[in-house]
Amino acid sequence: MSHPVPTWASVRPYERLAGTPAVRRDGHWWLVTPTGTVPASDPDFAGELDRFAADMAAADRVIAKLRTERTAVRKDRW
């Protein structure tokens, strides 16, 4: 089964995993650089990328919650 291969020009900054060259497309990890694209086919490496992405998403949710709470506190003070 073929998967869409990302190219350097097709990858948006928000698609990158924390500013790294790792990009997840169609359920598969790719390492994308200006000189080419390589699938991250090693299951251990892909698993680490999955865990790192999950941790980053959890951190983003916590930060968003803290910002929401801070905004609510500021509104209560006024």
Side-chain angles (χ1 to χ4, degrees):
M1 179 178 181
S2 67
H3 304 285
V5 176
T7 63
W8 184 257
S10 73
V11 175
R12 306 291 182 256
Y14 63 84
E15 289 182 296
R16 295 185 181 282
L17 178 58
T20 69
V23 176
R24 189 164 179 88
R25 289 260 177 105
D26 196 30
H28 298 276
W29 286 104
W30 299 85
L31 301 178
V32 182
T33 69
T35 57
T37 303
V38 177
S41 56
D42 179 270
D44 291 332
F45 182 58
E48 287 300 318
L49 288 172
D50 286 336
R51 284 185 283 284
F52 183 59
D55 290 345
M56 291 295 297
D60 288 344
R61 286 190 298 274
V62 169
I63 290 169
K65 181 180 177 195
L66 289 171
R67 286 182 177 156
T68 300
E69 290 170 357
R70 183 184 303 166
T71 301
V73 167
R74 285 183 184 159
K75 287 181 181 178
D76 288 343
R77 289 182 184 171
W78 295 99

